[in-house]
Amino acid sequence: SGLIHSELPEQEEALMEGFQLWVNLPAKNKMIAPFYRDIPREAIPEFRTPDGVTVRVIAGESQGTAGAVQRPDTEPLYLDLHLPAGTRFEQAIPAGHNVFLYTYRGEVSVAAKAVADRFMAILANDGADGAVIEAAQDARVILVAGAPLNEPIAQHGPFVMNTAAEIQQTLQDYRDGLFETGEVQSL
């Protein structure tokens, strides 16, 4: 079903960065009660590797640290990695999961291929069970993975369903004001 919400990030020291990731639900769960959850910075688990890589675990699990978000069906992994120059980070990823990373500061290397600053790399979904990221210079990267649903996708604006008819019904529900009854959760 649906929920109307708005994120209003605060700008600090003339710098504003933000990433928003929408996780699609399987068709069987598309009409569950809507909710929105704000996760403040201090509620995101974080650890540091022996190499000095800072890992913020937004969703999923990394090296024994559970993230702020756990979701069945898609099993998302969402990590914010701060890699000092000369470090590497290895993350186990279940075979078959879709994986991408986005560098938002610096440049990294994945499978001996450079990923430039402010570029995305989509990793092969070929049965390999992990990602290895190397940084020759200080870098910051988000690493995202999840189980594919293997269902059709119909999308219009912020709405994602499985068929065009479902999108039309969603637009009608929105026009009829049916999205406003959702519950907002805050950590």
Side-chain angles (χ1 to χ4, degrees):
S1 52
L3 174 71
I4 297 172
H5 68 279
S6 177
E7 295 84 22
L8 299 171
E10 294 182 27
Q11 188 169 356
E12 294 179 16
E13 299 176 19
L15 178 66
M16 184 183 306
E17 293 176 314
F19 301 98
Q20 184 177 55
L21 179 68
W22 291 66
V23 177
N24 193 14
L25 294 174
K28 67 181 183 174
N29 294 340
K30 285 252 193 313
M31 298 308 289
I32 64 172
F35 70 93
Y36 170 79
R37 183 173 157 206
D38 182 59
I39 304 170
R41 177 184 187 98
E42 58 276 3
I44 299 173
E46 183 177 296
F47 69 91
R48 186 175 295 247
T49 69
D51 269 0
V53 176
T54 299
V55 181
R56 304 193 75 234
V57 188
I58 299 164
E61 182 183 319
S62 181
Q63 300 179 22
T65 299
V69 174
Q70 302 294 320
R71 300 293 299 168
D73 298 316
T74 56
E75 305 167 16
L77 172 72
Y78 190 163
L79 306 178
D80 180 13
L81 307 170
H82 301 204
L83 298 104
T87 61
R88 69 186 267 143
F89 177 75
E90 296 183 36
Q91 175 64 44
I93 298 171
H97 275 46
N98 293 329
V99 185
F100 74 88
L101 64 88
Y102 178 77
T103 60
Y104 65 97
R105 291 214 189 108
E107 179 178 298
V108 296
S109 177
V110 177
K113 294 183 181 170
V115 182
D117 185 32
R118 303 201 190 279
F119 273 78
M120 178 170 40
I122 299 172
L123 282 60
N125 182 340
D126 60 5
D129 63 352
V132 178
I133 303 166
E134 299 177 299
Q137 58 183 261
D138 288 351
R140 291 190 179 186
V141 173
I142 59 170
L143 177 66
V144 179
L149 295 176
N150 298 316
E151 295 178 348
I153 295 174
Q155 182 264 335
H156 180 83
F159 306 115
V160 179
M161 297 301 282
N162 295 95
T163 68
E166 291 171 342
I167 286 290
Q168 291 307 313
Q169 183 61 54
T170 299
L171 292 170
Q172 187 61 51
D173 290 349
Y174 177 74
R175 285 189 292 269
D176 291 345
L178 299 178
F179 281 26
E180 311 221 20
T181 60
E183 176 182 324
V184 176
Q185 298 177 356
S186 184
L187 284 180

